[in-house]
């Protein structure tokens, strides 16, 4: 197998979450060539703030024969792309459209006419990152939920405690509380405490997923799994969700448009196979960054992301022009 990479920088246009302070986000595109002649592309976009090793460290690992779990996912996704390219078809061929949630990364920077805009554009689900200013955010959630037009997803990124969570949820308007579709990672995972957290709203697990062992769990401390194909084993999670009856939200990793298209393709495929289980996706994250040649090809229209044209996940011409460097594998 030959692995080549091309570094990129995404420039964020606002603070992406309570931990991210760097306006520039770095990652690499990957080109993988298999001995059977197939070639596929994917993205590797680590979030060191959340414990991912840097892309430099992950590449150093390959050179010494160690493939990180994130890279394993990137290779798996590149293979899916390679198979479609080989068959001369788009990865989206025959797949249904999937709506995405609107992402409020920082409620303080949203325009006052946000609700009208969301309705006009056809959004049904809004995800709000929580953790910068809890009081202001509770007011924002109350206002958005009271309207009744949207399902709300609140993402605490496991940064708070049971106490901050309880205080926040108790201060949200009661009508708005009924519109909360789920709360993501309300605080660090604790089976009993998450079961109690469900008294306010359904709970979803995202970043805390690596801490749990589904087979050892005695109860059902969450209702939804947030599936990020960039870092998680897709088939294992879908299988567990069928057995334990979890709903699934597929999201991008706030990564490069190449990674976003991969996540969107998984969302569409799972929607076709499990229409009731798959909720609105969270793949529409390209607008968080300054537009570049890639994101210009997938500009969203309301809740729908445009699918990149071309074979596999698309971007054929742009990918062929990347200045690829091959990794020497020992
Ligand atoms: Mg999350």
């Amino acid at each position: 197998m030959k692995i080549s990479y091309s570094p990129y920088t995404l420039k964020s246009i606002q603070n992406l979450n309570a931990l991210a302070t760097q306006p520039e986000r770095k990652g690499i595109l990957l080109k993988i060539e298999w001995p059977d002649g197939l070639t596929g592309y994917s993205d590797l976009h680590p979030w060191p703030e959340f414990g991912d090793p840097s892309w430099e460290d992950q590449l150093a690992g390959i050179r010494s024969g160690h493939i990180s779990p994130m890279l394993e996912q990137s290779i798996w996704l590149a293979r899916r792309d390679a198979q479609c390219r080989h068959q001369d078809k788009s990865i989206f061929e025959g797949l249904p459209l999937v709506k995405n949630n609107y992402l409020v990364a920082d409620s303080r920077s949203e325009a006052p006419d946000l609700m009208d805009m969301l309705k006009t554009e056809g959004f049904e689900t809004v995800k709000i990152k929580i953790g910068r200013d809890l009081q202001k955010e509770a007011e924002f959630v109350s206002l958005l939920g009271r309207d009744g037009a949207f399902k709300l997803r609140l993402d605490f990124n496991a940064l708070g405690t049971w106490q901050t969570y309880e205080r926040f949820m108790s201060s949200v308007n009661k009508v708005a509380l009924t519109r909360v579709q789920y709360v993501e990672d309300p605080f660090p995972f604790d089976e009993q405490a998450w079961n109690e957290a469900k008294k306010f709203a359904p709970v979803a697990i995202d970043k805390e997923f690596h801490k749990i062992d589904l087979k050892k769990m005695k109860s059902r401390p969450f209702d939804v799994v947030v599936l990020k194909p960039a870092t998680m084993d897709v088939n294992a999670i879908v299988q567990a969700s069928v057995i334990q009856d979890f709903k699934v939200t597929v999201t991008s990793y706030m990564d490069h448009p190449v990674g976003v298209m991969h996540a969107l393709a998984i969302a569409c495929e799972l929607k076709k196979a499990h229409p009731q289980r798959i909720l609105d996706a969270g793949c529409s994250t390209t607008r968080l960054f300054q537009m570049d040649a890639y994101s210009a090809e997938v500009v969203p229209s309301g809740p729908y992301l445009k699918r990149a044209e071309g074979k596999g996940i698309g971007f054929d011409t742009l990918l062929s022009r990347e200045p690829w460097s091959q990794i020497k594998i020992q």
Side-chain angles (χ1 to χ4, degrees):
M1 187 163 77
K2 272 204 288 189
I3 302 179
S4 307
Y5 68 98
S6 178
Y8 64 78
T9 302
L10 303 175
K11 294 189 176 75
S12 59
I13 49 180
Q14 54 174 303
N15 278 339
L16 298 177
N17 58 52
L19 277 187
T21 47
Q22 295 298 328
E24 296 203 329
R25 302 219 47 94
K26 295 184 187 297
I28 51 175
L29 294 176
L30 291 166
K31 174 186 181 183
I32 304 187
E33 295 160 271
W34 281 268
D36 62 5
L38 268 65
T39 299
Y41 300 90
S42 61
D43 181 22
L44 183 76
H45 188 84
W47 279 83
E49 297 91 332
F50 293 113
D52 297 336
S54 69
W55 66 262
E56 289 91 341
D57 285 349
Q58 297 192 53
L59 284 195
I62 304 187
R63 293 189 181 99
S64 56
H66 173 76
I67 307 270
S68 66
M70 271 189 90
L71 253 168
E72 227 171 276
Q73 281 313 110
S74 297
I75 294 170
W76 181 77
L77 292 167
R79 183 72 190 176
R80 288 165 43 87
D81 174 56
Q83 280 159 341
C84 291
R85 287 182 191 279
H86 180 63
Q87 293 164 24
D88 228 2
K89 65 168 196 181
S90 162
I91 203 165
F92 297 105
E93 200 179 296
L95 296 182
L97 292 173
V98 174
K99 280 193 176 189
N100 290 280
N101 60 226
Y102 181 84
L103 176 63
V104 177
D106 186 345
S107 56
R108 296 170 303 184
S109 54
E110 288 297 341
D113 63 349
L114 174 70
M115 283 199 276
D116 291 339
M117 185 279 282
L118 294 175
K119 280 184 212 168
T120 310
E121 295 204 353
F123 283 96
E124 289 177 32
T125 316
V126 183
K127 168 170 168 167
I128 305 130
K129 296 256 180 193
I130 308 289
R132 289 194 175 84
D133 182 336
L134 293 174
Q135 199 187 332
K136 287 254 164 57
E137 285 156 354
E139 287 166 16
F140 182 82
V141 168
S142 297
L143 189 68
L144 211 55
R146 216 165 23 207
D147 185 82
F150 312 107
K151 289 175 253 183
L152 307 181
R153 300 171 170 178
L154 315 182
D155 189 359
F156 288 78
N157 275 322
L159 293 174
T161 60
W162 163 256
Q163 284 76 16
T164 51
Y165 169 73
E166 189 182 33
R167 205 177 312 139
F168 184 92
M169 297 302 278
S170 306
S171 67
V172 169
N173 168 280
K174 292 283 173 291
V175 179
L177 209 53
T178 65
R179 300 298 300 169
V180 176
Q181 186 183 39
Y182 57 75
V183 172
E184 215 171 295
D185 294 336
F187 43 84
F189 183 75
D190 176 286
E191 188 165 347
Q192 198 188 342
W194 275 37
N195 270 310
E196 281 175 46
K198 291 204 293 186
K199 74 177 182 192
F200 290 105
V203 169
I205 191 163
D206 174 21
K207 293 200 170 66
E208 295 296 279
F209 193 82
H210 69 279
K211 291 187 182 170
I212 64 164
D213 183 346
L214 283 175
K215 292 191 188 83
K216 287 193 186 142
M217 244 157 32
K218 294 179 189 72
S219 59
R220 201 169 162 282
F222 46 87
D223 312 276
V224 179
V225 177
V226 178
L227 170 53
K228 292 189 157 75
T231 63
M232 293 155 91
D233 182 335
V234 173
N235 292 329
I237 286 165
V238 171
Q239 201 182 3
S241 302
V242 171
I243 294 168
Q244 314 238 22
D245 197 22
F246 300 129
K247 301 269 193 231
V248 175
T249 296
V250 179
T251 79
S252 65
Y253 204 46
M254 291 206 284
D255 44 5
H256 189 279
V258 163
V260 170
M261 282 299 119
H262 267 299
L264 183 68
I266 298 274
C268 297
E269 232 175 87
L270 292 180
K271 187 76 187 176
K272 188 174 181 183
H274 310 269
Q276 301 307 318
R277 196 169 303 285
I278 305 301
L279 306 174
D280 279 9
C283 295
S284 197
T285 47
T286 49
R287 66 171 188 91
L288 300 172
F289 302 102
Q290 285 176 25
M291 194 178 280
D292 59 20
Y294 284 87
S295 60
E297 291 198 14
V298 293
V299 175
S301 162
Y304 298 106
L305 256 176
K306 185 170 182 293
R307 299 161 167 195
E309 283 177 26
K311 297 176 198 169
I313 51 142
F315 307 115
D316 302 358
T317 310
L318 290 170
L319 288 167
S320 72
R321 287 184 191 149
E322 288 288 337
W324 298 106
S325 312
Q326 198 184 322
I327 303 170
K328 299 269 176 296
I329 304 174
Q330 283 172 355

